[in-house]
Amino acid sequence: MRGTVRVPGDKSIGHRALILAGLAIGTSRITGLSDGADVAATRRALAAMGVRLARDGASWCVRGVGVGGLLPPAGALDMGNSGTSARLLMGLVASHAITATFVGDASLSARPMARVAEPLRAMGADIVAAPGTHLPLTLRGLAPAIALTYRLPVASAQVKTALLLAALNTPGVTRVVEPVATRDHGERMLAAFGADLAISTDADGARHIALRGGGDLHPCDVAVPGDFSSAAFVIVAALIVPGSEVTVTGVGINPRRTGLLTALAAMGADITLANERGVAGEAVADITARHGPLTGRDLPATLAADMIDEYPALFVAAALAKGRTVARGLDELRHKESDRLAAMAAALAASGAAIAIEGDDMIIDGSGGTPFVGGAKIATHGDHRVAMSMAVAGLASRDGVRIDDLACAATSFPGFADLIERLTTGS
Ligand code: S3P
């Protein structure tokens, strides 16, 4: 694989830019927004609640309604496959005096919503959900809502951001405490749009984010960096396909997202960063990955939050490394677009890898570079990251892998298959 490519705009940053632009007074311009289905779900839901959004060439112009200004949507808000859309927008609606129904696909309807519903109820939202607190779910917001202090029981940037969004239209100070730091795109974006927030770290290392609600947001122009989580598939492909050298330009390298680089560096991967710069409050770089030998490593649970979405790709790399990789503390992977522990263990085992789940850990005995046998038909369970990881595994296999559904890649990475083909054929 050879060449220089760009990947779609960061999904996490895209959702947050749209939502905050939707609350600002005036027009924001967002460039580099992902065309993926997840970000489109947030965009459509905001439009249904009165935000004006229009594409202008490579940008989106978003005219906000002002904090507290959302209108009741006429129909159900379809979140598709997007957990981030569902949880962030639930937070947004919770402090508006409107009612919204959230629906999603089968995968999203099986994912836990209690983690966000519980604190939003404490802020005054009335939530009626399918048994077990799942979508479909109807939320009646309260304005003014009740400020609270909430310590996150699970490391979740989605829950953190949902509460901070609810706090925007809530009088007084809402405090979110996260014992384990998660991606901070929400905090960075809130500051850029003029929200009144203060961040500190206590003696135990927990982060405290305090947001004083009730103020206005001003519009902001946002350049969304390339999505590191999408670049991860290209990086791992280059590492495992002999003779490869690939550069992905303009990728976000926020340290709360790049645990994969830490893990791969420990495994001996040949990856270099160049042209590091700041774009709209986020660090960005060009990342070059070259094929070479990898060595299995013990990857502690403390890495999990910083590489949560990249484990499927990491498992593929580890399966071709020399020796054993143990990736620890992965319970949250069971609650993603599929049970990614089970889905990846089954897919890689079917392709000839030595892989096993022990408790919340994944144990992989690498082949030392011998390609996967392949030949199996892989069940993705409609999970974009399982599909793309196994497509990458197929590039380093003897017989190839057949994937039941690669179309789901468009959730986060439209054009994935074309981009990989361009890199492999050098066209
Ligand atoms: C995201 C947070 C993570 C991540 C997801 C996007 C976000 O989920 O897995 O893809 O944009 O806040 P959790 O917050 O549930 O860990």
Side-chain angles (χ1 to χ4, degrees), residues 11-13 15-16 84 87-88 111 115 155-159 161 182-183 185 308-309 332 335-337 340 385:
K11 191 155 77 71
S12 291
I13 295 174
H15 289 296
R16 288 157 171 82
T84 312
R87 296 191 179 114
L88 265 50
R111 294 180 65 186
R115 54 182 59 193
S156 170
Q158 292 178 354
V159 177
T161 311
T182 62
R183 63 189 69 192
H185 307 302
I308 193 68
D309 291 338
E332 272 299 300
H335 307 297
K336 296 299 176 185
E337 287 81 330
R340 285 187 178 152
R385 299 201 200 283

Side-chain angles (χ1 to χ4, degrees), residues 8 11 34-39 79-82 105-108 111 229-230 233 312 336-338 340 343-344 378-391 402-417:
K11 191 155 77 71
S34 166
D35 286 324
D38 274 15
V39 171
M79 305 287 99
N81 189 245
S82 178
D105 70 6
S107 154
L108 184 57
R111 294 180 65 186
S229 297
S230 298
F233 301 108
K336 296 299 176 185
E337 287 81 330
S338 69
R340 285 187 178 152
M344 286 304 299
I378 302 303
T380 61
H381 305 278
D383 184 330
H384 56 129
R385 299 201 200 283
V386 173
M388 290 187 278
S389 298
M390 291 312 298
R402 294 195 303 134
I403 293 169
D404 66 353
D405 168 22
L406 191 55
C408 63
T411 294
S412 60
F413 199 158
F416 167 77

Side-chain angles (χ1 to χ4, degrees), residues 22-307:
L23 291 186
I25 298 176
T27 300
S28 302
R29 180 176 284 272
I30 306 173
T31 50
L33 190 69
S34 166
D35 286 324
D38 274 15
V39 171
T42 290
R43 188 166 42 75
R44 293 199 189 100
L46 290 169
M49 293 188 285
V51 177
R52 299 277 188 82
L53 305 110
R55 194 191 273 276
D56 176 17
S59 310
W60 279 89
C61 291
V62 183
R63 200 164 89 210
V65 294
V67 170
L70 292 177
L71 304 172
L77 302 176
D78 188 354
M79 305 287 99
N81 189 245
S82 178
T84 312
S85 303
R87 296 191 179 114
L88 265 50
L89 292 170
M90 283 169 65
L92 182 67
V93 171
S95 58
H96 282 74
I98 62 174
T99 297
T101 295
F102 295 83
V103 300
D105 70 6
S107 154
L108 184 57
S109 303
R111 294 180 65 186
M113 293 297 153
R115 54 182 59 193
V116 64
E118 273 172 25
L120 292 178
R121 280 178 176 136
M123 293 181 80
D126 180 36
I127 298 172
V128 180
T133 320
H134 291 109
L135 264 50
L137 171 158
T138 297
L139 189 153
R140 195 175 76 225
L142 179 70
I146 306 151
L148 88 169
T149 295
Y150 190 73
R151 192 177 174 89
L152 293 178
V154 280
S156 170
Q158 292 178 354
V159 177
K160 170 177 65 175
T161 311
L163 298 181
L164 295 175
L165 291 174
L168 282 173
N169 194 40
T170 300
V173 178
T174 296
R175 290 189 172 80
V176 183
V177 181
E178 53 173 7
V180 176
T182 62
R183 63 189 69 192
D184 61 354
H185 307 302
E187 295 93 301
R188 287 171 188 269
M189 192 77 67
L190 280 160
F193 279 84
D196 181 356
L197 87 168
I199 302 171
S200 59
T201 305
D202 69 20
D204 296 326
R207 286 179 83 238
H208 293 235
I209 304 129
L211 192 148
R212 181 177 294 282
D216 288 334
L217 298 182
H218 56 67
C220 198
D221 290 345
V222 180
V224 182
D227 197 328
F228 180 80
S229 297
S230 298
F233 301 108
V234 182
I235 292 168
V236 168
L239 295 178
I240 65 174
V241 175
S244 299
E245 175 170 338
V246 175
T247 298
V248 190
T249 58
V251 185
I253 52 162
N254 181 313
R256 297 281 73 79
R257 296 289 298 282
T258 51
L260 178 72
L261 293 182
T262 309
L264 289 172
M267 295 169 75
D270 184 352
I271 299 175
T272 47
L273 269 54
N275 200 10
E276 287 186 42
R277 57 225 189 248
V279 175
E282 293 280 353
V284 171
D286 303 337
I287 303 177
T288 300
R290 299 173 197 85
H291 173 257
L294 299 171
T295 308
R297 285 281 180 256
D298 200 309
L299 304 174
T302 47
L303 262 180
D306 292 352
M307 62 179 290

